[in-house]
Amino acid sequence: YVESAPSVKVEGCRFVGNRGCNHQGGAAIHIQDTGAAPRSIVFRSTLVAGNFSEVWYDGSSYTKTGAPLTILGSNQNAASPTTVELDCCTVAYNSTSAGTDCSGVMVIGANNATYAVTVRNSIFFGNLTPVASAYPSDIWVASGATARIARTAARGDATAT
């Protein structure tokens, strides 16, 4: 769990077989921007596999699971987007419970938070979302975030029963 750090760099790491339950998502890693948002978040040559995110409740009416790799933002200067980079990463065989959200990587900006997400030379495979989920199984970039995806293989969008 990382909160309001100026930068985050994860390189050559393995997040395998973790379980996130009843907290703010991110069975493998959770980055929360509140106020002094990170300016640079980099994942390079990292494996995120076999993780499970369970339903959590944030005090509002919105129940969510969060992806095994979750980046959430709020109260950031929209003129200075945080960069999120996934390079040479593998995100595979992750799953979520019967809540919402995706089961791979989730990047969401809120309250003026903005992200410029770049995914390249990476593999997304076998990530499972619940049957009732309206969200993608591999990567979800939403609410104030833009994405550039290059030289990346994604084979998911399967549903768990």
Side-chain angles (χ1 to χ4, degrees):
Y1 180 85
V2 177
E3 184 173 336
S4 300
S7 67
V8 176
K9 184 174 183 181
V10 177
E11 188 167 2
C13 294
R14 296 169 44 103
F15 298 95
V16 179
N18 296 292
R19 182 181 178 113
C21 59
N22 299 323
H23 72 299
Q24 296 185 0
I29 190 164
H30 175 92
I31 299 172
Q32 177 76 44
D33 299 348
T34 55
R39 297 293 172 237
S40 173
I41 301 169
V42 177
F43 292 91
R44 185 167 290 121
S45 301
T46 294
L47 173 66
V48 179
N51 300 291
F52 177 75
S53 291
E54 197 168 345
V55 171
W56 64 280
Y57 179 70
D58 70 352
S60 70
S61 61
Y62 181 53
T63 302
K64 43 195 159 273
T65 55
L69 198 160
T70 299
I71 301 167
L72 302 175
S74 63
N75 304 321
Q76 179 190 351
N77 181 355
S80 178
T82 292
T83 60
V84 178
E85 178 183 334
L86 280 83
D87 186 23
C88 297
C89 293
T90 299
V91 180
Y93 302 109
N94 298 291
S95 60
T96 60
S97 66
T100 59
D101 299 335
C102 80
S103 59
V105 176
M106 181 172 73
V107 180
I108 299 177
N111 301 325
N112 296 322
T114 57
Y115 292 99
V117 180
T118 301
V119 179
R120 66 178 163 266
N121 303 317
S122 295
I123 298 169
F124 291 83
F125 187 84
N127 298 299
L128 299 175
T129 54
V131 172
S133 179
Y135 300 97
S137 60
D138 292 325
I139 186 167
W140 182 32
V141 177
S143 301
T146 59
R148 180 176 176 272
I149 300 173
R151 298 181 303 276
T152 294
R155 184 164 192 279
D157 292 327
T159 55
T161 55

